[in-house]
Amino acid sequence: FKNLNPSLKPVKSNSNALALIIGISDYENTKASALYADSDAKTFYDYANLKLGVSSSNIKELIGNNAERLDIVKSVRNFLLKRTITNKTDIYVFFAGHGLATDDGKGMYLLPYDGDPDYLEDSAIKRKKLFADIQATKPRSVTVFLDTCYSGGTRNEEETLVASLRPIILTAKQQSIPSNFTVLSAAKGNQTSQSLEEAKHGLFSYYMMLGMEGGADLNADKKITARELHTFVLDK
């Protein structure tokens, strides 16, 4: 597996772009780790800067214990809200870590550092609410990269987020997203996101960033669309 290198094929800077990057490998209230999630987020910082054209001053990075629930909420409501120009700003959000669905599959949550899998509604970030808060900033576009799943599985096949989970797998229901959002996700509702041990990254994150280097430019026009990136990652 080749090393990732975001410095290849430089792109134009985008002064109207913002990025919120979150990576959590180890958690306060569960021993189940999301292997390499923090490394994925730190690496994506360079891709946001060098491949998406987001200036360093417009990137907010939350890693490990700096990604508590309130840290994430503040970043959306303060950092994104204050810097977004209505109908001009492109927002990029990257999240690597645990996700979990409610028992009925209707609620999909992202687990912050201080989140508790047994008390999702009280301690985690509801995906639908997160999208609504971002949409409320009135950006031109939002692209979300989610290296997570909602089945209760983890990147370590020997662990589950909920002690009673095995052999039951939670299945998240399909949810609509706002019209100006593009969401690329590591897993469907009943799948588990995996790590790629050989590359020391999440499987989705590794190939997604490799695609952004140019591998996803399927028609060789020096532009990468969301559809091309999705096709590249799905194939890999």
Side-chain angles (χ1 to χ4, degrees):
F1 294 89
K2 63 178 292 185
N3 292 328
L4 295 172
N5 185 359
S7 65
L8 298 174
K9 299 179 182 179
V11 302
K12 295 179 181 179
S13 61
N14 182 357
S15 60
N16 287 320
L18 300 170
L20 174 60
I21 301 171
I22 303 165
I24 312 162
S25 292
D26 299 308
Y27 284 79
E28 185 175 46
N29 295 308
T30 176
K31 294 181 180 179
S33 63
L35 295 174
Y36 310 123
D38 49 2
S39 176
D40 290 338
K42 291 175 182 177
T43 304
F44 187 78
Y45 182 102
D46 293 328
Y47 282 79
N49 181 224
L50 299 174
K51 308 307 294 181
L52 297 174
V54 188
S55 67
S56 297
S57 61
N58 282 343
I59 301 175
K60 181 77 170 180
E61 187 179 46
L62 304 175
I63 304 294
N65 60 6
N66 290 316
E68 293 187 347
R69 185 185 187 187
L70 192 55
D71 295 320
I72 297 173
V73 171
K74 285 182 177 180
S75 294
V76 173
R77 296 183 183 176
N78 293 334
F79 173 72
L80 293 183
L81 179 61
K82 290 181 178 179
R83 297 187 181 217
T84 297
I85 300 173
T86 300
N87 297 324
K88 284 189 177 182
T89 301
D90 298 309
I91 293 178
Y92 298 95
V93 178
F94 176 91
F95 179 90
H98 287 319
L100 195 61
T102 52
D103 290 343
D104 60 8
K106 293 181 179 180
M108 299 168 69
Y109 288 84
L110 303 178
L111 203 64
Y113 171 76
D114 55 344
D116 191 323
D118 293 321
Y119 298 94
L120 279 180
E121 295 164 344
D122 298 312
S123 66
I125 302 291
K126 192 171 186 178
R127 200 183 84 160
K128 189 174 183 179
K129 179 68 163 55
L130 175 66
F131 287 1
D133 287 345
I134 295 174
Q135 186 185 31
T137 68
K138 299 180 180 179
R140 181 175 69 170
S141 71
V142 180
T143 305
V144 184
F145 305 93
L146 296 174
D147 198 341
T148 188
C149 62
Y150 306 95
S151 65
T154 73
R155 295 186 182 192
N156 183 344
E157 295 180 2
E158 302 301 318
E159 295 179 323
T160 59
L161 278 175
V162 183
S164 61
L165 180 67
R166 192 176 285 114
I168 298 171
I169 295 295
L170 300 175
T171 301
K173 309 294 184 185
Q174 186 70 25
Q175 292 186 347
S176 62
I177 61 172
S179 59
N180 61 335
F181 275 55
T182 298
V183 179
L184 292 101
S185 180
K188 294 181 179 179
N190 61 347
Q191 296 176 331
T192 301
S193 61
Q194 296 291 322
S195 60
L196 185 59
E197 179 62 31
E198 296 86 349
K200 307 300 182 187
H201 281 288
L203 181 65
F204 168 82
S205 289
Y206 175 78
Y207 281 113
M208 183 268 294
M209 288 186 276
L210 192 64
M212 289 173 65
E213 288 181 17
D217 185 11
L218 303 179
N219 59 2
D221 67 348
K222 297 184 179 181
K223 297 178 182 179
I224 297 175
T225 65
R227 186 178 298 278
E228 285 180 314
L229 187 57
H230 173 265
T231 300
F232 177 82
V233 173
L234 186 62
D235 177 64
K236 298 299 182 181

